[in-house]
Amino acid sequence: MFDHWEGPNGLTATQNPITFAANVDGWIKAVLSGFVDSTTLQYPANNWYRLWYTFSGDVNNPWSVQKGHDSALDVSSLDFESNWGTGQVAYGASDKIGFMSGRTLQLSSATTYTFTIGGDDGVRLFVDDQILVNGWRDQSYTTYSGSKSLSAGDHRLRLEWYDNVGDARVSFTASSSTPSDAYTAEIY
């Protein structure tokens, strides 16, 4: 998939679907056609990026139709809570909706993080593409926690959530702790 093509003499194509044909000296030199892959989850460092979907009703194959994306959550906070009750969640839907949300956690030193996620209905958290917390089932609002030691550097967080029917709510909190056995060495 591609979302941009650059050809000779500054010719470009960027529409969706992308289609471009170059006719040079009576010959078609290129024909490109495809749809922009907008299903790629992004992991910005300053906010959560959400890809919204219609929930299929099947927890093993949850996403049926992509609705769109947003990154409208408060950029100053890693933690959030969204409680829609029985009201509209997004894209006109109050039921059968969900999202995958990505964010990068940037750490200057190694530390242990405890992540607490909550969901009505299903919710699960992946850290560096490994599942850490799993509450992926139809349920009333329930919280789950998991801890992980993280090295200095960038770490990818992916939170997935869906609402089947009824109340809709999702939350995320993260807290860090410095290892208690840390010490300072002095060299003479």
Side-chain angles (χ1 to χ4, degrees), residues 104-159:
T104 296
L105 181 61
Q106 297 175 314
L107 301 178
S108 59
S109 61
T111 190
T112 298
Y113 262 84
T114 298
F115 302 98
T116 301
I117 60 174
D120 178 349
D121 286 296
V123 63
R124 58 188 172 189
L125 175 68
F126 296 79
V127 178
D128 295 327
D129 299 317
Q130 300 295 314
I131 194 158
L132 178 66
V133 186
N134 191 359
W136 200 245
R137 63 188 59 84
D138 288 1
Q139 62 195 338
S140 58
Y141 182 75
T142 306
T143 59
Y144 301 90
S145 294
S147 297
K148 185 165 180 73
S149 295
L150 299 172
S151 61
D154 291 351
H155 298 277
R156 290 168 36 136
L157 305 177
R158 183 175 83 232
L159 181 70

Side-chain angles (χ1 to χ4, degrees), residues 64-133:
S64 61
V65 177
Q66 185 180 6
K67 299 279 193 179
H69 64 86
D70 69 47
S71 55
L73 292 175
D74 182 357
V75 297
S76 64
S77 177
L78 178 64
D79 300 346
F80 70 85
E81 180 166 359
S82 299
N83 186 353
W84 298 278
T86 57
Q88 180 178 312
V89 175
Y91 296 95
S94 58
D95 290 319
K96 301 287 187 191
I97 191 161
F99 63 70
M100 288 189 294
S101 190
R103 183 164 180 159
T104 296
L105 181 61
Q106 297 175 314
L107 301 178
S108 59
S109 61
T111 190
T112 298
Y113 262 84
T114 298
F115 302 98
T116 301
I117 60 174
D120 178 349
D121 286 296
V123 63
R124 58 188 172 189
L125 175 68
F126 296 79
V127 178
D128 295 327
D129 299 317
Q130 300 295 314
I131 194 158
L132 178 66
V133 186

Side-chain angles (χ1 to χ4, degrees), residues 53-65 124 136 162:
Y53 292 89
T54 298
F55 175 63
S56 68
D58 177 0
V59 295
N60 296 313
N61 189 20
W63 315 126
S64 61
V65 177
R124 58 188 172 189
W136 200 245
Y162 76 87

